[in-house]
Amino acid sequence: MFFTPERFSQWTHLAIVLDPFTQEALHYANGVLLTPSRLKDITLLKIGIAELGNWNDRRNQGCVAILHLSSAMDEFALWDRVLSDVEIASLTQ
């Protein structure tokens, strides 16, 4: 587990790479690959209405968005291509 109590209140660089070619989601923390996960649906990602820091949004089902980010976000970036391990690591510098 990456987020242990001693890491709380520390700056952490998080990145997720969705690779439709290898059908994987790659999760990184501070430039280090934590877990690769197989993607169940490899259709191209299309972002519609989005909010940073919210997930499990089921408003279209009559519910409310839950699990709000209770922290601070310094920067956000979105690429239109798969970044390499080296590129992800360089973003943490």
Side-chain angles (χ1 to χ4, degrees), residues 10-84:
Q10 293 183 17
W11 181 92
T12 303
H13 180 270
L14 299 175
I16 299 173
V17 175
L18 301 175
D19 189 337
F21 303 108
T22 63
Q23 299 179 14
E24 288 183 312
L26 306 172
H27 304 267
Y28 296 85
N30 295 331
V32 177
L33 178 62
L34 297 178
T35 58
S37 303
R38 295 289 294 164
L39 294 172
K40 293 178 184 177
D41 183 5
I42 61 168
T43 58
L44 293 178
L45 179 64
K46 180 179 177 184
I47 298 175
I49 297 172
E51 293 181 43
L52 297 177
N54 285 329
W55 60 94
N56 201 14
D57 184 6
R58 296 179 292 160
R59 285 181 286 189
N60 61 344
Q61 299 171 5
C63 300
V64 296
I66 58 172
L67 298 175
H68 303 284
L69 177 69
S70 58
S71 188
M73 187 179 307
D74 183 42
E75 294 180 28
F76 174 81
L78 181 67
W79 280 262
D80 62 354
R81 64 180 179 83
V82 173
L83 298 182
S84 71

